[in-house]
Amino acid sequence: ATTTTGPGHASMLTGTCPDRHGIINNEWFDPNAEENGASAGVYCAGSSRYGIVPAGAPTEEKTKAAGCPERLLSETLADVLKRQTAGHGKVFGLSLKDRSAILPCGKRPDGAFWFTGQFVTSTYYGDRLPAWVEAFNASGKANEWFGKSWEKSRPEIGRAHV
């Protein structure tokens, strides 16, 4: 079998296997899922029931769905944290990819944000970005690092020594 990120993130943070947590691959065909009246492929961390926030932001074309954890069947460590602290614990997902921001956080995070040229979320989490995410996007800080060479600060680390 191959390994893919969606089931890996879900397995790590739920502590169970894909047959229990429901994330069997990044994408799969589900004859019971209907899109435009026909059975369709589904994406592990998305649903056409939700929209991207902010509206009009770029998305990964292949997903054709805004991010959400609705296919995740098991609680994650984050869900247990929220439950055990009576909602006082804070849980956020932040990643370059939607599935790695969404799946580890479970169904009740305080937010999940991923990068598509700017940080975005979906209407599953709220109708607008928090002010601190809007401010970060407006600052352009994330784009300062693209297209630049990244050098090790200690190049001797990781070298094979003979």
Side-chain angles (χ1 to χ4, degrees):
T2 61
T3 56
T4 53
T5 55
H9 292 307
S11 293
M12 251 186 351
L13 278 294
T14 63
T16 192
C17 299
D19 66 324
R20 303 257 180 185
H21 60 59
I23 306 301
I24 58 172
N25 207 339
N26 289 344
E27 300 175 65
W28 64 90
F29 179 77
D30 182 351
N32 298 317
E34 287 194 22
E35 190 149 319
N36 300 324
S39 56
V42 296
Y43 179 62
C44 67
S47 171
S48 58
R49 295 182 340 146
Y50 302 99
I52 196 80
V53 175
T59 62
E60 286 189 55
E61 177 56 31
K62 69 177 189 170
T63 66
K64 296 184 178 88
C68 75
E70 79 177 16
R71 289 184 174 79
L72 188 62
L73 304 176
S74 300
E75 282 190 318
T76 64
L77 178 63
D79 289 322
V80 173
L81 174 69
K82 292 291 283 190
R83 184 170 32 85
Q84 292 295 320
T85 62
H88 295 293
K90 298 293 180 196
V91 173
F92 291 92
L94 181 68
S95 183
L96 295 177
K97 293 216 171 245
D98 56 356
R99 61 184 168 259
S100 55
I102 293 165
L103 296 173
C105 297
K107 295 196 177 247
R108 297 180 290 277
D110 296 284
F113 309 97
W114 53 95
F115 196 73
T116 65
Q118 65 181 358
F119 280 100
V120 299
T121 190
S122 83
T123 53
Y124 178 89
Y125 303 100
D127 293 333
R128 62 184 317 234
L129 290 172
W132 58 272
V133 177
E134 287 180 345
F136 183 82
N137 283 342
S139 76
K141 290 285 183 196
N143 292 318
E144 287 179 17
W145 296 99
F146 285 98
K148 295 193 176 183
S149 177
W150 288 51
E151 303 293 330
K152 288 183 175 182
S153 60
R154 296 190 51 199
E156 73 278 7
I157 295 175
R159 277 194 201 160
H161 295 284
V162 181

